[in-house]
Amino acid sequence: MNRDSSAVREELLRLREQTQIQATALDGDLRSLFEASRSSNADDEHDPEGSTIAFERAQLTAVLDATRRRLAELDVALRRVDDGSYGVCERCARPIPAERLVARPSARTCVACASRR
């Protein structure tokens, strides 16, 4: 692994750690919300606050799912750094522009290929 890939790996590890902390916090928030709604005898259908609880639960679940997907994407990016394929488009094998990798470090395709989806 060369110096550039070491720096990329370090940055990806830093982002992964931040994302893992966020996922852990979101998971805790979701568990707390479930516990609070279990201990309450609120009826979501008839309680004016019920829809708020259901919305909050759905929103937290969606954000946690997105955070877990980001963790998985960062893990794939780290494997790509290790095998030397990081920064190379999976579809066309051309280099992924540095600007795209700065904006989206886990990018696996170049802009042209990503826009063809």
Side-chain angles (χ1 to χ4, degrees), residues 22-58:
Q22 183 182 18
T24 300
L26 287 166
D27 188 55
D29 291 347
L30 189 58
R31 287 176 192 268
S32 295
L33 185 63
F34 279 126
E35 284 301 314
S37 64
R38 257 189 240 137
S39 64
S40 136
N41 50 352
D43 177 3
D44 276 7
E45 190 174 326
H46 298 99
D47 181 5
E49 289 298 312
S51 60
T52 304
I53 293 168
F55 175 78
E56 190 173 343
R57 188 176 2 188

PDB file of all heavy atoms in Angstrom, residues 22-58:
ATOM      1  N   GLN A  22     -22.477   7.227  15.163  1.00  0.00           N
ATOM      2  CA  GLN A  22     -23.817   7.716  14.830  1.00  0.00           C
ATOM      3  C   GLN A  22     -24.829   6.565  14.831  1.00  0.00           C
ATOM      4  O   GLN A  22     -25.933   6.709  15.369  1.00  0.00           O
ATOM      5  CB  GLN A  22     -23.795   8.398  13.466  1.00  0.00           C
ATOM      6  CG  GLN A  22     -25.122   8.994  13.070  1.00  0.00           C
ATOM      7  CD  GLN A  22     -25.082   9.635  11.684  1.00  0.00           C
ATOM      8  OE1 GLN A  22     -24.185   9.356  10.882  1.00  0.00           O
ATOM      9  NE2 GLN A  22     -26.042  10.479  11.408  1.00  0.00           N
ATOM     10  N   ALA A  23     -24.469   5.425  14.263  1.00  0.00           N
ATOM     11  CA  ALA A  23     -25.369   4.271  14.222  1.00  0.00           C
ATOM     12  C   ALA A  23     -25.684   3.779  15.634  1.00  0.00           C
ATOM     13  O   ALA A  23     -26.842   3.455  15.939  1.00  0.00           O
ATOM     14  CB  ALA A  23     -24.759   3.144  13.394  1.00  0.00           C
ATOM     15  N   THR A  24     -24.682   3.754  16.487  1.00  0.00           N
ATOM     16  CA  THR A  24     -24.887   3.314  17.868  1.00  0.00           C
ATOM     17  C   THR A  24     -25.834   4.265  18.597  1.00  0.00           C
ATOM     18  O   THR A  24     -26.742   3.832  19.314  1.00  0.00           O
ATOM     19  CB  THR A  24     -23.535   3.214  18.601  1.00  0.00           C
ATOM     20  OG1 THR A  24     -22.709   2.275  17.907  1.00  0.00           O
ATOM     21  CG2 THR A  24     -23.707   2.785  20.040  1.00  0.00           C
ATOM     22  N   ALA A  25     -25.638   5.559  18.405  1.00  0.00           N
ATOM     23  CA  ALA A  25     -26.511   6.552  19.045  1.00  0.00           C
ATOM     24  C   ALA A  25     -27.945   6.438  18.520  1.00  0.00           C
ATOM     25  O   ALA A  25     -28.909   6.471  19.303  1.00  0.00           O
ATOM     26  CB  ALA A  25     -25.972   7.957  18.808  1.00  0.00           C
ATOM     27  N   LEU A  26     -28.104   6.289  17.213  1.00  0.00           N
ATOM     28  CA  LEU A  26     -29.437   6.151  16.629  1.00  0.00           C
ATOM     29  C   LEU A  26     -30.120   4.883  17.119  1.00  0.00           C
ATOM     30  O   LEU A  26     -31.323   4.887  17.420  1.00  0.00           O
ATOM     31  CB  LEU A  26     -29.354   6.135  15.099  1.00  0.00           C
ATOM     32  CG  LEU A  26     -29.038   7.466  14.437  1.00  0.00           C
ATOM     33  CD1 LEU A  26     -28.644   7.251  12.978  1.00  0.00           C
ATOM     34  CD2 LEU A  26     -30.226   8.412  14.540  1.00  0.00           C
ATOM     35  N   ASP A  27     -29.364   3.803  17.203  1.00  0.00           N
ATOM     36  CA  ASP A  27     -29.920   2.550  17.706  1.00  0.00           C
ATOM     37  C   ASP A  27     -30.399   2.721  19.147  1.00  0.00           C
ATOM     38  O   ASP A  27     -31.478   2.250  19.510  1.00  0.00           O
ATOM     39  CB  ASP A  27     -28.881   1.433  17.607  1.00  0.00           C
ATOM     40  CG  ASP A  27     -29.458   0.075  17.922  1.00  0.00           C
ATOM     41  OD1 ASP A  27     -30.457  -0.311  17.280  1.00  0.00           O
ATOM     42  OD2 ASP A  27     -28.914  -0.601  18.816  1.00  0.00           O
ATOM     43  N   GLY A  28     -29.612   3.416  19.955  1.00  0.00           N
ATOM     44  CA  GLY A  28     -30.012   3.690  21.330  1.00  0.00           C
ATOM     45  C   GLY A  28     -31.267   4.549  21.395  1.00  0.00           C
ATOM     46  O   GLY A  28     -32.173   4.292  22.208  1.00  0.00           O
ATOM     47  N   ASP A  29     -31.337   5.571  20.545  1.00  0.00           N
ATOM     48  CA  ASP A  29     -32.526   6.428  20.496  1.00  0.00           C
ATOM     49  C   ASP A  29     -33.755   5.626  20.101  1.00  0.00           C
ATOM     50  O   ASP A  29     -34.836   5.794  20.682  1.00  0.00           O
ATOM     51  CB  ASP A  29     -32.330   7.570  19.499  1.00  0.00           C
ATOM     52  CG  ASP A  29     -31.301   8.596  19.937  1.00  0.00           C
ATOM     53  OD1 ASP A  29     -30.899   8.570  21.126  1.00  0.00           O
ATOM     54  OD2 ASP A  29     -30.888   9.412  19.096  1.00  0.00           O
ATOM     55  N   LEU A  30     -33.595   4.739  19.132  1.00  0.00           N
ATOM     56  CA  LEU A  30     -34.726   3.933  18.671  1.00  0.00           C
ATOM     57  C   LEU A  30     -35.177   2.967  19.763  1.00  0.00           C
ATOM     58  O   LEU A  30     -36.378   2.812  20.011  1.00  0.00           O
ATOM     59  CB  LEU A  30     -34.342   3.174  17.400  1.00  0.00           C
ATOM     60  CG  LEU A  30     -35.460   2.456  16.666  1.00  0.00           C
ATOM     61  CD1 LEU A  30     -36.567   3.432  16.256  1.00  0.00           C
ATOM     62  CD2 LEU A  30     -34.911   1.746  15.437  1.00  0.00           C
ATOM     63  N   ARG A  31     -34.226   2.346  20.438  1.00  0.00           N
ATOM     64  CA  ARG A  31     -34.577   1.444  21.548  1.00  0.00           C
ATOM     65  C   ARG A  31     -35.306   2.208  22.650  1.00  0.00           C
ATOM     66  O   ARG A  31     -36.285   1.717  23.205  1.00  0.00           O
ATOM     67  CB  ARG A  31     -33.323   0.777  22.105  1.00  0.00           C
ATOM     68  CG  ARG A  31     -32.748  -0.273  21.206  1.00  0.00           C
ATOM     69  CD  ARG A  31     -31.433  -0.818  21.777  1.00  0.00           C
ATOM     70  NE  ARG A  31     -30.729  -1.614  20.821  1.00  0.00           N
ATOM     71  CZ  ARG A  31     -30.853  -2.923  20.706  1.00  0.00           C
ATOM     72  NH1 ARG A  31     -31.662  -3.581  21.505  1.00  0.00           N
ATOM     73  NH2 ARG A  31     -30.163  -3.579  19.794  1.00  0.00           N
ATOM     74  N   SER A  32     -34.820   3.402  22.959  1.00  0.00           N
ATOM     75  CA  SER A  32     -35.473   4.224  23.985  1.00  0.00           C
ATOM     76  C   SER A  32     -36.891   4.584  23.576  1.00  0.00           C
ATOM     77  O   SER A  32     -37.815   4.564  24.400  1.00  0.00           O
ATOM     78  CB  SER A  32     -34.684   5.508  24.233  1.00  0.00           C
ATOM     79  OG  SER A  32     -33.427   5.228  24.768  1.00  0.00           O
ATOM     80  N   LEU A  33     -37.070   4.900  22.320  1.00  0.00           N
ATOM     81  CA  LEU A  33     -38.403   5.242  21.819  1.00  0.00           C
ATOM     82  C   LEU A  33     -39.335   4.037  21.907  1.00  0.00           C
ATOM     83  O   LEU A  33     -40.488   4.160  22.335  1.00  0.00           O
ATOM     84  CB  LEU A  33     -38.315   5.747  20.377  1.00  0.00           C
ATOM     85  CG  LEU A  33     -39.606   6.265  19.758  1.00  0.00           C
ATOM     86  CD1 LEU A  33     -40.119   7.487  20.519  1.00  0.00           C
ATOM     87  CD2 LEU A  33     -39.378   6.605  18.300  1.00  0.00           C
ATOM     88  N   PHE A  34     -38.838   2.856  21.538  1.00  0.00           N
ATOM     89  CA  PHE A  34     -39.649   1.647  21.651  1.00  0.00           C
ATOM     90  C   PHE A  34     -40.017   1.376  23.109  1.00  0.00           C
ATOM     91  O   PHE A  34     -41.162   1.052  23.419  1.00  0.00           O
ATOM     92  CB  PHE A  34     -38.929   0.432  21.063  1.00  0.00           C
ATOM     93  CG  PHE A  34     -39.034   0.324  19.570  1.00  0.00           C
ATOM     94  CD1 PHE A  34     -37.892   0.207  18.791  1.00  0.00           C
ATOM     95  CD2 PHE A  34     -40.261   0.329  18.939  1.00  0.00           C
ATOM     96  CE1 PHE A  34     -37.980   0.107  17.413  1.00  0.00           C
ATOM     97  CE2 PHE A  34     -40.369   0.220  17.556  1.00  0.00           C
ATOM     98  CZ  PHE A  34     -39.217   0.111  16.798  1.00  0.00           C
ATOM     99  N   GLU A  35     -39.044   1.513  23.998  1.00  0.00           N
ATOM    100  CA  GLU A  35     -39.308   1.304  25.423  1.00  0.00           C
ATOM    101  C   GLU A  35     -40.335   2.300  25.951  1.00  0.00           C
ATOM    102  O   GLU A  35     -41.246   1.942  26.689  1.00  0.00           O
ATOM    103  CB  GLU A  35     -38.006   1.396  26.240  1.00  0.00           C
ATOM    104  CG  GLU A  35     -37.130   0.184  26.134  1.00  0.00           C
ATOM    105  CD  GLU A  35     -37.822  -1.095  26.597  1.00  0.00           C
ATOM    106  OE1 GLU A  35     -38.470  -1.088  27.668  1.00  0.00           O
ATOM    107  OE2 GLU A  35     -37.725  -2.089  25.862  1.00  0.00           O
ATOM    108  N   ALA A  36     -40.184   3.550  25.580  1.00  0.00           N
ATOM    109  CA  ALA A  36     -41.115   4.583  26.035  1.00  0.00           C
ATOM    110  C   ALA A  36     -42.521   4.309  25.513  1.00  0.00           C
ATOM    111  O   ALA A  36     -43.506   4.474  26.240  1.00  0.00           O
ATOM    112  CB  ALA A  36     -40.647   5.962  25.573  1.00  0.00           C
ATOM    113  N   SER A  37     -42.623   3.859  24.268  1.00  0.00           N
ATOM    114  CA  SER A  37     -43.956   3.601  23.721  1.00  0.00           C
ATOM    115  C   SER A  37     -44.550   2.324  24.293  1.00  0.00           C
ATOM    116  O   SER A  37     -45.753   2.213  24.430  1.00  0.00           O
ATOM    117  CB  SER A  37     -43.926   3.557  22.196  1.00  0.00           C
ATOM    118  OG  SER A  37     -43.151   2.486  21.733  1.00  0.00           O
ATOM    119  N   ARG A  38     -43.717   1.360  24.695  1.00  0.00           N
ATOM    120  CA  ARG A  38     -44.213   0.141  25.331  1.00  0.00           C
ATOM    121  C   ARG A  38     -44.753   0.423  26.723  1.00  0.00           C
ATOM    122  O   ARG A  38     -45.763  -0.127  27.113  1.00  0.00           O
ATOM    123  CB  ARG A  38     -43.087  -0.891  25.437  1.00  0.00           C
ATOM    124  CG  ARG A  38     -43.200  -1.961  24.412  1.00  0.00           C
ATOM    125  CD  ARG A  38     -42.229  -3.079  24.668  1.00  0.00           C
ATOM    126  NE  ARG A  38     -41.395  -3.130  23.474  1.00  0.00           N
ATOM    127  CZ  ARG A  38     -40.099  -3.281  23.464  1.00  0.00           C
ATOM    128  NH1 ARG A  38     -39.444  -3.426  24.580  1.00  0.00           N
ATOM    129  NH2 ARG A  38     -39.442  -3.300  22.343  1.00  0.00           N
ATOM    130  N   SER A  39     -44.048   1.267  27.447  1.00  0.00           N
ATOM    131  CA  SER A  39     -44.460   1.554  28.824  1.00  0.00           C
ATOM    132  C   SER A  39     -45.641   2.517  28.879  1.00  0.00           C
ATOM    133  O   SER A  39     -46.291   2.648  29.897  1.00  0.00           O
ATOM    134  CB  SER A  39     -43.280   2.093  29.632  1.00  0.00           C
ATOM    135  OG  SER A  39     -42.852   3.317  29.099  1.00  0.00           O
ATOM    136  N   SER A  40     -45.910   3.160  27.768  1.00  0.00           N
ATOM    137  CA  SER A  40     -47.057   4.063  27.699  1.00  0.00           C
ATOM    138  C   SER A  40     -48.240   3.277  27.150  1.00  0.00           C
ATOM    139  O   SER A  40     -48.088   2.345  26.384  1.00  0.00           O
ATOM    140  CB  SER A  40     -46.693   5.247  26.803  1.00  0.00           C
ATOM    141  OG  SER A  40     -47.711   5.563  25.935  1.00  0.00           O
ATOM    142  N   ASN A  41     -49.426   3.666  27.530  1.00  0.00           N
ATOM    143  CA  ASN A  41     -50.590   2.985  26.981  1.00  0.00           C
ATOM    144  C   ASN A  41     -51.250   3.869  25.922  1.00  0.00           C
ATOM    145  O   ASN A  41     -52.452   3.886  25.777  1.00  0.00           O
ATOM    146  CB  ASN A  41     -51.566   2.566  28.083  1.00  0.00           C
ATOM    147  CG  ASN A  41     -51.904   3.697  29.016  1.00  0.00           C
ATOM    148  OD1 ASN A  41     -51.305   4.748  28.940  1.00  0.00           O
ATOM    149  ND2 ASN A  41     -52.861   3.462  29.908  1.00  0.00           N
ATOM    150  N   ALA A  42     -50.411   4.576  25.163  1.00  0.00           N
ATOM    151  CA  ALA A  42     -50.915   5.436  24.090  1.00  0.00           C
ATOM    152  C   ALA A  42     -51.409   4.575  22.936  1.00  0.00           C
ATOM    153  O   ALA A  42     -50.793   3.590  22.566  1.00  0.00           O
ATOM    154  CB  ALA A  42     -49.818   6.373  23.597  1.00  0.00           C
ATOM    155  N   ASP A  43     -52.514   4.957  22.413  1.00  0.00           N
ATOM    156  CA  ASP A  43     -53.106   4.287  21.261  1.00  0.00           C
ATOM    157  C   ASP A  43     -52.801   5.155  20.044  1.00  0.00           C
ATOM    158  O   ASP A  43     -53.390   6.216  19.878  1.00  0.00           O
ATOM    159  CB  ASP A  43     -54.602   4.139  21.497  1.00  0.00           C
ATOM    160  CG  ASP A  43     -55.341   3.528  20.331  1.00  0.00           C
ATOM    161  OD1 ASP A  43     -54.692   3.151  19.343  1.00  0.00           O
ATOM    162  OD2 ASP A  43     -56.577   3.419  20.421  1.00  0.00           O
ATOM    163  N   ASP A  44     -51.867   4.707  19.198  1.00  0.00           N
ATOM    164  CA  ASP A  44     -51.443   5.509  18.044  1.00  0.00           C
ATOM    165  C   ASP A  44     -52.618   5.963  17.189  1.00  0.00           C
ATOM    166  O   ASP A  44     -52.612   7.037  16.630  1.00  0.00           O
ATOM    167  CB  ASP A  44     -50.484   4.713  17.155  1.00  0.00           C
ATOM    168  CG  ASP A  44     -49.046   4.776  17.634  1.00  0.00           C
ATOM    169  OD1 ASP A  44     -48.823   5.324  18.728  1.00  0.00           O
ATOM    170  OD2 ASP A  44     -48.180   4.285  16.909  1.00  0.00           O
ATOM    171  N   GLU A  45     -53.612   5.118  17.084  1.00  0.00           N
ATOM    172  CA  GLU A  45     -54.728   5.429  16.204  1.00  0.00           C
ATOM    173  C   GLU A  45     -55.643   6.516  16.765  1.00  0.00           C
ATOM    174  O   GLU A  45     -56.186   7.322  16.032  1.00  0.00           O
ATOM    175  CB  GLU A  45     -55.532   4.159  15.941  1.00  0.00           C
ATOM    176  CG  GLU A  45     -56.562   4.312  14.860  1.00  0.00           C
ATOM    177  CD  GLU A  45     -57.228   2.993  14.544  1.00  0.00           C
ATOM    178  OE1 GLU A  45     -56.563   1.951  14.626  1.00  0.00           O
ATOM    179  OE2 GLU A  45     -58.420   3.029  14.225  1.00  0.00           O
ATOM    180  N   HIS A  46     -55.795   6.552  18.092  1.00  0.00           N
ATOM    181  CA  HIS A  46     -56.749   7.480  18.693  1.00  0.00           C
ATOM    182  C   HIS A  46     -56.106   8.599  19.500  1.00  0.00           C
ATOM    183  O   HIS A  46     -56.749   9.588  19.804  1.00  0.00           O
ATOM    184  CB  HIS A  46     -57.737   6.713  19.584  1.00  0.00           C
ATOM    185  CG  HIS A  46     -58.539   5.722  18.792  1.00  0.00           C
ATOM    186  ND1 HIS A  46     -58.204   4.389  18.761  1.00  0.00           N
ATOM    187  CD2 HIS A  46     -59.603   5.875  17.978  1.00  0.00           C
ATOM    188  CE1 HIS A  46     -59.056   3.756  17.976  1.00  0.00           C
ATOM    189  NE2 HIS A  46     -59.915   4.633  17.472  1.00  0.00           N
ATOM    190  N   ASP A  47     -54.857   8.433  19.849  1.00  0.00           N
ATOM    191  CA  ASP A  47     -54.146   9.441  20.637  1.00  0.00           C
ATOM    192  C   ASP A  47     -53.579  10.496  19.702  1.00  0.00           C
ATOM    193  O   ASP A  47     -52.904  10.174  18.728  1.00  0.00           O
ATOM    194  CB  ASP A  47     -53.015   8.763  21.420  1.00  0.00           C
ATOM    195  CG  ASP A  47     -52.232   9.713  22.301  1.00  0.00           C
ATOM    196  OD1 ASP A  47     -52.601  10.901  22.392  1.00  0.00           O
ATOM    197  OD2 ASP A  47     -51.246   9.260  22.903  1.00  0.00           O
ATOM    198  N   PRO A  48     -53.829  11.786  19.968  1.00  0.00           N
ATOM    199  CA  PRO A  48     -53.286  12.828  19.089  1.00  0.00           C
ATOM    200  C   PRO A  48     -51.761  12.805  19.017  1.00  0.00           C
ATOM    201  O   PRO A  48     -51.170  13.227  18.032  1.00  0.00           O
ATOM    202  CB  PRO A  48     -53.796  14.139  19.693  1.00  0.00           C
ATOM    203  CG  PRO A  48     -54.399  13.808  20.993  1.00  0.00           C
ATOM    204  CD  PRO A  48     -54.602  12.325  21.059  1.00  0.00           C
ATOM    205  N   GLU A  49     -51.093  12.323  20.046  1.00  0.00           N
ATOM    206  CA  GLU A  49     -49.636  12.222  20.030  1.00  0.00           C
ATOM    207  C   GLU A  49     -49.175  10.923  19.376  1.00  0.00           C
ATOM    208  O   GLU A  49     -48.019  10.751  19.070  1.00  0.00           O
ATOM    209  CB  GLU A  49     -49.069  12.302  21.458  1.00  0.00           C
ATOM    210  CG  GLU A  49     -49.171  13.669  22.081  1.00  0.00           C
ATOM    211  CD  GLU A  49     -48.376  14.698  21.304  1.00  0.00           C
ATOM    212  OE1 GLU A  49     -47.203  14.454  20.972  1.00  0.00           O
ATOM    213  OE2 GLU A  49     -48.947  15.770  21.020  1.00  0.00           O
ATOM    214  N   GLY A  50     -50.079   9.982  19.184  1.00  0.00           N
ATOM    215  CA  GLY A  50     -49.722   8.680  18.633  1.00  0.00           C
ATOM    216  C   GLY A  50     -49.095   8.764  17.266  1.00  0.00           C
ATOM    217  O   GLY A  50     -48.120   8.091  16.972  1.00  0.00           O
ATOM    218  N   SER A  51     -49.638   9.581  16.403  1.00  0.00           N
ATOM    219  CA  SER A  51     -49.071   9.684  15.058  1.00  0.00           C
ATOM    220  C   SER A  51     -47.668  10.275  15.107  1.00  0.00           C
ATOM    221  O   SER A  51     -46.817   9.951  14.296  1.00  0.00           O
ATOM    222  CB  SER A  51     -49.980  10.508  14.153  1.00  0.00           C
ATOM    223  OG  SER A  51     -50.129  11.808  14.671  1.00  0.00           O
ATOM    224  N   THR A  52     -47.430  11.147  16.075  1.00  0.00           N
ATOM    225  CA  THR A  52     -46.094  11.721  16.231  1.00  0.00           C
ATOM    226  C   THR A  52     -45.096  10.642  16.631  1.00  0.00           C
ATOM    227  O   THR A  52     -43.988  10.589  16.113  1.00  0.00           O
ATOM    228  CB  THR A  52     -46.118  12.843  17.293  1.00  0.00           C
ATOM    229  OG1 THR A  52     -47.079  13.798  16.900  1.00  0.00           O
ATOM    230  CG2 THR A  52     -44.778  13.498  17.448  1.00  0.00           C
ATOM    231  N   ILE A  53     -45.510   9.764  17.547  1.00  0.00           N
ATOM    232  CA  ILE A  53     -44.640   8.668  17.981  1.00  0.00           C
ATOM    233  C   ILE A  53     -44.354   7.734  16.808  1.00  0.00           C
ATOM    234  O   ILE A  53     -43.211   7.352  16.572  1.00  0.00           O
ATOM    235  CB  ILE A  53     -45.271   7.899  19.167  1.00  0.00           C
ATOM    236  CG1 ILE A  53     -45.318   8.800  20.400  1.00  0.00           C
ATOM    237  CG2 ILE A  53     -44.483   6.631  19.469  1.00  0.00           C
ATOM    238  CD1 ILE A  53     -46.167   8.250  21.531  1.00  0.00           C
ATOM    239  N   ALA A  54     -45.388   7.387  16.058  1.00  0.00           N
ATOM    240  CA  ALA A  54     -45.199   6.494  14.912  1.00  0.00           C
ATOM    241  C   ALA A  54     -44.297   7.150  13.865  1.00  0.00           C
ATOM    242  O   ALA A  54     -43.422   6.487  13.286  1.00  0.00           O
ATOM    243  CB  ALA A  54     -46.552   6.137  14.298  1.00  0.00           C
ATOM    244  N   PHE A  55     -44.486   8.422  13.616  1.00  0.00           N
ATOM    245  CA  PHE A  55     -43.656   9.140  12.647  1.00  0.00           C
ATOM    246  C   PHE A  55     -42.209   9.167  13.116  1.00  0.00           C
ATOM    247  O   PHE A  55     -41.285   8.914  12.336  1.00  0.00           O
ATOM    248  CB  PHE A  55     -44.175  10.563  12.432  1.00  0.00           C
ATOM    249  CG  PHE A  55     -43.299  11.380  11.536  1.00  0.00           C
ATOM    250  CD1 PHE A  55     -43.332  11.207  10.159  1.00  0.00           C
ATOM    251  CD2 PHE A  55     -42.415  12.310  12.058  1.00  0.00           C
ATOM    252  CE1 PHE A  55     -42.506  11.952   9.325  1.00  0.00           C
ATOM    253  CE2 PHE A  55     -41.589  13.058  11.237  1.00  0.00           C
ATOM    254  CZ  PHE A  55     -41.638  12.878   9.870  1.00  0.00           C
ATOM    255  N   GLU A  56     -41.998   9.465  14.378  1.00  0.00           N
ATOM    256  CA  GLU A  56     -40.642   9.531  14.916  1.00  0.00           C
ATOM    257  C   GLU A  56     -39.959   8.169  14.827  1.00  0.00           C
ATOM    258  O   GLU A  56     -38.785   8.069  14.461  1.00  0.00           O
ATOM    259  CB  GLU A  56     -40.674  10.015  16.372  1.00  0.00           C
ATOM    260  CG  GLU A  56     -39.323  10.349  16.928  1.00  0.00           C
ATOM    261  CD  GLU A  56     -39.394  10.990  18.304  1.00  0.00           C
ATOM    262  OE1 GLU A  56     -40.458  11.475  18.709  1.00  0.00           O
ATOM    263  OE2 GLU A  56     -38.348  10.992  18.977  1.00  0.00           O
ATOM    264  N   ARG A  57     -40.691   7.122  15.127  1.00  0.00           N
ATOM    265  CA  ARG A  57     -40.151   5.762  15.049  1.00  0.00           C
ATOM    266  C   ARG A  57     -39.762   5.441  13.596  1.00  0.00           C
ATOM    267  O   ARG A  57     -38.682   4.915  13.337  1.00  0.00           O
ATOM    268  CB  ARG A  57     -41.195   4.778  15.559  1.00  0.00           C
ATOM    269  CG  ARG A  57     -40.711   3.382  15.713  1.00  0.00           C
ATOM    270  CD  ARG A  57     -41.761   2.494  16.309  1.00  0.00           C
ATOM    271  NE  ARG A  57     -42.991   3.238  16.536  1.00  0.00           N
ATOM    272  CZ  ARG A  57     -44.053   2.802  17.173  1.00  0.00           C
ATOM    273  NH1 ARG A  57     -44.070   1.606  17.666  1.00  0.00           N
ATOM    274  NH2 ARG A  57     -45.132   3.538  17.334  1.00  0.00           N
ATOM    275  N   ALA A  58     -40.637   5.765  12.650  1.00  0.00           N
ATOM    276  CA  ALA A  58     -40.352   5.503  11.235  1.00  0.00           C
ATOM    277  C   ALA A  58     -39.156   6.321  10.757  1.00  0.00           C
ATOM    278  O   ALA A  58     -38.307   5.821  10.008  1.00  0.00           O
ATOM    279  CB  ALA A  58     -41.582   5.811  10.394  1.00  0.00           C
TER     280      ALA A  58
END
